[in-house]
Amino acid sequence: MTVFRTLQQGINAVQAQNYKEGVRLLRAALREPTLTGPSRALAHIWLAESTDNIPEKLRHYTDALSADPDNEYAQRRFAQLAAPPAPPASLPEIPVNTPPPAPVYRPDSVTLVTVTPPPPPPSNPPPTYRTPASMSTSQLIPINPMTTPQVPQPDLGSSYHIVGIVGGPNGSGSGFFVAKHGIVVTTRYVVGGLENITVELETHRQLPGRVVYSLPAMDVAFVYVEQQVTDLLPVTPFPQIPDNTQLTIITHGGKTVNGKKRETARMLAAHWFPTDIVLLPDAGGAPIFDERHYLVGMVTRNISSSSAYVYGVHINAIRELLEKFFHQMRVSPNRVYCHTCGYVSQAAAAGGFYCEACGATMPFAEQISRLRTPQTATLYEETNSTACSKCAAHVGFYNGVCLRCGSAQAQINNLL
């Protein structure tokens, strides 16, 4: 079980008012050193929601701010709890035979009042790594649990949300920003095997974009464009989308498609959700909103050749994939994108000519002589005793062909 799955299960337990199990899972997640930044702060925030003890809440919010000093929700809650309550102007008159109401804590006030608490804070761990170097984690996808957002409309400033992906191999598509310093998500189907594409903003200004990571199995691709944005689309705080939820797809250019989440008996991966929509005005990649105007996912065409319906990739899965990408770049910031499989290759950054995930020749190495480099042997797991005569790799052979460079094994046998 990954630390983020443990965190998600802990949050779900607290939401279900199973506080004992929720606290256990959240503390287990906090014991993992890989849980850092906003994700770690999120665990402390939910621990604060699991107790009514004010000093304990303050301690949890303090720990949240230690992990993520820019967390606005933790800042606001800490300030509210730490501030002394204002004395009432006059004491309320209470009837003699009427018992006083039971105090219930309200998150937007430090006063004990008899109201129903609003929903707790968001349940999805936001990304923790910054890219490029100037990005702060507070500039990644924000969730404001205190308000019900509306779908933002395009403007002429820098609040770009939905963009166009122009000139892709399968036609033009859409995408939307998931980080304020220039990370756009779209589908792998839209970008195909390209590394450089054109991104068109809502003002019709076109900018060069560079694909930095993609996962064909999930049909997701991240594109970096040198454009800062002031805010991002409001993300749903809910981990799942109920059946028959009304959905709205908004493409680049403002075209809308309405539908709903379709009930299905088919077993789907957790990151997919089915819709009853069959026609789209572009190649995909547009954001999907629910009836509350929350962003719930991204539309994709590329899931099943036997179904006429289009599907969505849940925004939680996109956020988790973005977190993994940022983590990879933090561990090895000089990774090189492999347009064949979408992986960011550490071996290529170390001087290797081939992607360690799929074995494809990296673009920069296609027109040069490729000799074995000792520093990449570990990354390629080159432990086979027989070396290829052409590239000197020890990865072995299959059907008489070197798994690294494709030379015939007969050439090697002639040398033995």
Side-chain angles (χ1 to χ4, degrees), residues 14-97:
V14 174
Q15 285 182 314
Q17 299 184 353
N18 186 359
Y19 297 115
K20 183 177 180 180
E21 178 65 8
V23 169
R24 184 187 71 81
L25 290 168
L26 290 170
R27 293 192 182 281
L30 286 169
R31 286 195 292 270
E32 296 294 331
T34 56
L35 191 71
T36 59
S39 300
R40 192 170 193 84
L42 193 62
H44 287 297
I45 288 173
W46 278 95
L47 282 174
E49 293 298 324
S50 69
T51 178
D52 293 325
N53 185 285
I54 300 300
E56 190 172 351
K57 282 180 175 287
L58 284 169
R59 178 169 57 82
H60 288 312
Y61 284 120
T62 300
D63 292 338
L65 290 172
S66 296
D68 181 15
D70 296 325
N71 191 298
E72 295 179 1
Y73 183 77
Q75 290 173 352
R76 182 170 63 252
R77 297 294 294 112
F78 181 85
Q80 292 170 346
L81 291 171
S90 60
L91 293 176
E93 184 176 338
I94 302 177
V96 175
N97 296 324

Side-chain angles (χ1 to χ4, degrees), residues 4 32 39 44 61 89 93 180 198 242 260 298 333 341 379 405 413:
F4 295 113
E32 296 294 331
S39 300
H44 287 297
Y61 284 120
E93 184 176 338
K180 289 187 176 182
T198 300
K260 64 181 180 179
M298 176 182 67
C341 70
L379 294 171
C405 70
N413 293 335

Side-chain angles (χ1 to χ4, degrees), residues 11 38 62 80 91 118 155-156 184 186 216 232 263 278 287 290 292 313 359 362 368 412:
I11 292 171
T62 300
Q80 292 170 346
L91 293 176
D155 57 33
L156 298 179
V184 169
T186 185
L232 301 167
E263 298 183 45
V278 295
D290 64 11
R292 300 183 181 183
V313 185
M362 301 302 290
I368 63 176
I412 285 86

Side-chain angles (χ1 to χ4, degrees), residues 212-359:
V212 293
Y213 181 80
S214 66
L215 187 62
M218 194 183 291
D219 199 22
V220 171
F222 296 128
V223 180
Y224 174 71
V225 58
E226 291 188 5
Q227 173 64 49
Q228 296 187 13
V229 295
T230 57
D231 53 23
L232 301 167
L233 296 171
V235 175
T236 177
F238 306 109
Q240 295 181 343
I241 307 171
D243 288 338
N244 299 312
T245 296
Q246 295 297 317
L247 303 175
T248 300
I249 298 170
I250 303 180
T251 69
H252 175 63
K255 296 180 180 179
T256 62
V257 180
N258 296 312
K260 64 181 180 179
K261 189 202 171 184
R262 179 171 52 88
E263 298 183 45
T264 180
R266 180 182 176 185
M267 296 297 295
L268 296 176
H271 53 266
W272 297 116
F273 61 90
T275 77
D276 64 354
I277 298 169
V278 295
L279 294 175
L280 290 177
D282 65 9
I288 306 175
F289 301 91
D290 64 11
E291 66 268 21
R292 300 183 181 183
H293 308 295
Y294 282 119
L295 173 66
V296 296
M298 176 182 67
V299 68
T300 173
R301 292 177 179 270
N302 189 22
I303 179 173
S304 172
S305 59
S306 61
S307 174
Y309 297 108
V310 298
Y311 288 74
V313 185
H314 199 286
I315 188 61
N316 290 351
I318 295 173
R319 288 157 61 96
E320 184 173 351
L321 192 62
L322 186 64
E323 168 79 19
K324 291 179 179 179
F325 167 66
F326 285 161
H327 176 72
Q328 289 176 344
M329 297 303 295
R330 178 178 57 189
V331 173
S332 179
N334 296 319
R335 289 174 179 257
V336 177
Y337 176 71
C338 173
H339 60 77
T340 301
C341 70
Y343 186 69
V344 278
S345 171
Q346 185 178 359
F353 306 123
Y354 314 98
C355 173
E356 64 269 35
C358 70

